[in-house]
Amino acid sequence: MAESATVRVAGKAAELRAAGEAIIDWSAGQPDFPSPEVAVEGARRALDEGFTRYTAAAGIPDLRQALADHYSARHGAPWRLDNVLVTVGAKAALFELIMTLIDDGDCVVIPSPCWVSFPEQVRFAGGEPVLVPLSADDGFAIRAEPLIEAIDEATRMVLINSPSNPTGGIVSAPDLRRIVEYCAERGIVVLSDETYERFLYDGGQHASAGGLAAEFPDTVIVVGSFSKTYAMTGWRIGYALASADVIRRAIAVQGHATSNATSFAMRGALAALQGAEPQVERMLAAFARRRELVVRGLESLPGVNCRAPSGAFYAFPHVAAHFRDGEGSLELAERLLDEARVAVVPGVAFDADDHIRISFACSDAELEEGLERLAVAFG
Ligand code: PLP
């Protein structure tokens, strides 16, 4: 398997920082906010109570039920406790679902550019990722027709990530419905990674596949995470929502992989789900401001073309004008780290070599300083 390029760049940036260098780290995909106080308190209480043993592999019932209720209330999903699996981050949910559903030779249609782990997880299961290019001119919107055209008899799954890492592109409700309907007729699963569901801008609304689960209960699967919404990346709590049959099979995989997610972290996640909304809203307001700042700053640089992302917290500018002889995004990213001490993720990691990914999950001051350094590097 290929090493995760995002992890590699973040690692090199961390090394330089440890050596005393003033690095602007735009590579990490994690909110810089503290985890909600209610979550910390919930986990602390769990520890005080000695809630430190194995739990059921699928997770604690209270959290499973709360997630089912949450999706019913928000999206009208028919899910109940046995439709929910709590996992070690969304990453494990995706991995376990792919291991459950994909066999040798099965094809998985994925809009591209896509998150680095999707193709690798599919290959790990013996499947074949079929990457369908999205258009930068269309804001990397996830459209139904190109995905449908890529579907054939070997297709077992369509894997959508809206809002998208790395592009910030989203799927509209009509496109999502078209994809889900088309797939359901053919028994193809739609796995919807909604890790960034709350990060939407300019009044955009999130189209959740959960809203289609009542109509298509056997083929709609949602994956979600506490990492980004609640600034809880290190807690490692995510989840899968699907038919009881799929969840039962995924629990069997999890039972042999991680067993349950961490007991007291689940109690903290439950508290976040129940009580952290005010903090989430404050964080989202900060992200909307930072998005304006970074897009305006990037657009003002010569040879840089950056559309405002519809969602998530990444800018994905076109920077090919700054490639020197024979360079691609990897060499440019290395040069930016070496010369400007700014860490970005090269677009080649996402099959989009003309781009770099800039995470604006950092302070306004760091954004401003990084933009100044880029202005010098690209001047
Ligand atoms: N899905 C996408 C699209 C992501 O960008 C990430 C993390 O960067 C994940 C899933 C994994 O999140 P978690 O921290 O819940 O494992």
Side-chain angles (χ1 to χ4, degrees), residues 230-243:
Y230 298 105
M232 289 172 65
T233 46
W235 297 59
R236 311 305 303 126
I237 302 291
Y239 51 90
L241 301 146
S243 70

Side-chain angles (χ1 to χ4, degrees), residues 89-91 94 115 118 161 165 193 195-196 225 227-228 236:
K91 195 174 253 184
L94 290 159
W115 184 47
F118 294 148
N161 171 219
N165 172 10
D193 176 353
T195 291
Y196 296 93
S225 176
S227 289
K228 320 284 177 172
R236 311 305 303 126

Side-chain angles (χ1 to χ4, degrees), residues 13-366:
E15 266 173 37
L16 285 168
R17 185 175 276 152
E21 298 282 348
I23 300 292
I24 299 292
D25 188 0
W26 282 345
S27 66
Q30 58 179 337
D32 54 315
F33 288 82
S35 300
E37 189 49 43
V38 284
V40 175
E41 195 42 52
R44 191 179 287 136
R45 203 171 325 115
L47 282 168
D48 286 344
E49 290 167 7
F51 191 65
T52 53
R53 303 243 159 98
Y54 292 133
T55 71
I60 55 174
D62 288 359
L63 181 56
R64 295 175 77 196
Q65 186 62 53
L67 284 163
D69 293 347
H70 183 74
Y71 274 79
S72 301
R74 278 183 66 129
H75 304 298
W79 288 319
R80 295 137 66 121
L81 182 143
D82 58 1
N83 298 106
V84 184
L85 167 61
V86 181
T87 58
V88 182
K91 195 174 253 184
L94 290 159
F95 191 76
E96 289 161 8
L97 288 164
I98 289 169
M99 290 301 281
T100 299
L101 295 167
I102 300 304
D103 288 323
D104 286 349
D106 288 344
C107 287
V108 179
V109 169
I110 310 172
S112 171
C114 66
W115 184 47
V116 289
S117 294
F118 294 148
E120 293 303 324
Q121 291 194 351
V122 169
R123 286 192 196 100
F124 194 96
E128 194 184 315
V130 177
L131 301 184
V132 178
L134 302 175
S135 157
D137 294 338
D138 193 21
F140 294 105
I142 299 163
R143 304 278 179 204
E145 288 317 312
L147 297 181
I148 285 173
E149 274 164 33
I151 289 172
D152 63 20
E153 310 80 68
T155 307
R156 182 81 187 83
M157 175 188 285
V158 174
L159 205 178
I160 290 174
N161 171 219
S162 172
S164 156
N165 172 10
T167 67
I170 57 173
V171 69
S172 69
D175 276 292
L176 183 60
R177 168 169 284 281
R178 171 102 177 94
I179 296 163
V180 169
E181 273 176 356
Y182 185 91
C183 287
E185 277 166 26
R186 289 158 185 78
I188 296 168
V189 159
V190 176
L191 175 47
S192 180
D193 176 353
E194 303 185 4
T195 291
Y196 296 93
E197 62 174 336
R198 298 298 304 278
F199 297 85
L200 282 155
Y201 305 106
D202 300 334
Q205 295 294 312
H206 173 59
S208 173
L212 297 165
E215 274 176 85
F216 306 100
D218 297 331
T219 51
V220 165
I221 304 180
V222 169
V223 163
S225 176
F226 284 83
S227 289
K228 320 284 177 172
T229 304
Y230 298 105
M232 289 172 65
T233 46
W235 297 59
R236 311 305 303 126
I237 302 291
Y239 51 90
L241 301 146
S243 70
D245 176 54
V246 166
I247 291 298
R248 194 170 30 75
R249 290 156 62 202
I251 292 170
V253 176
Q254 174 153 301
H256 293 294
T258 64
S259 298
N260 57 278
T262 301
S263 56
F264 47 90
M266 285 192 277
R267 287 273 294 271
L270 176 61
L273 191 64
Q274 292 170 336
E277 191 56 25
Q279 181 159 345
V280 171
E281 307 226 327
R282 275 199 298 282
M283 185 178 79
L284 294 178
F287 275 100
R289 196 182 60 238
R290 292 166 177 184
R291 166 181 172 266
E292 298 283 313
L293 202 159
V294 76
V295 170
R296 204 177 334 112
L298 288 170
E299 274 286 282
S300 73
L301 299 176
V304 176
N305 194 340
C306 184
R307 293 176 68 110
S310 302
F313 44 67
Y314 307 101
F316 201 58
H318 188 282
V319 291
H322 291 286
F323 295 165
R324 294 181 187 153
D325 281 351
E327 274 191 344
S329 60
L330 183 60
E331 291 74 18
L332 177 65
E334 281 170 352
R335 192 150 53 79
L336 289 176
L337 190 53
D338 288 341
E339 293 173 11
R341 293 296 192 235
V342 175
V344 301
V345 181
V348 69
F350 313 102
D351 267 340
D353 200 23
D354 290 344
H355 297 257
I356 53 175
R357 192 195 75 175
I358 291 175
S359 164
F360 48 89
C362 60
S363 70
D364 293 24
E366 279 176 300

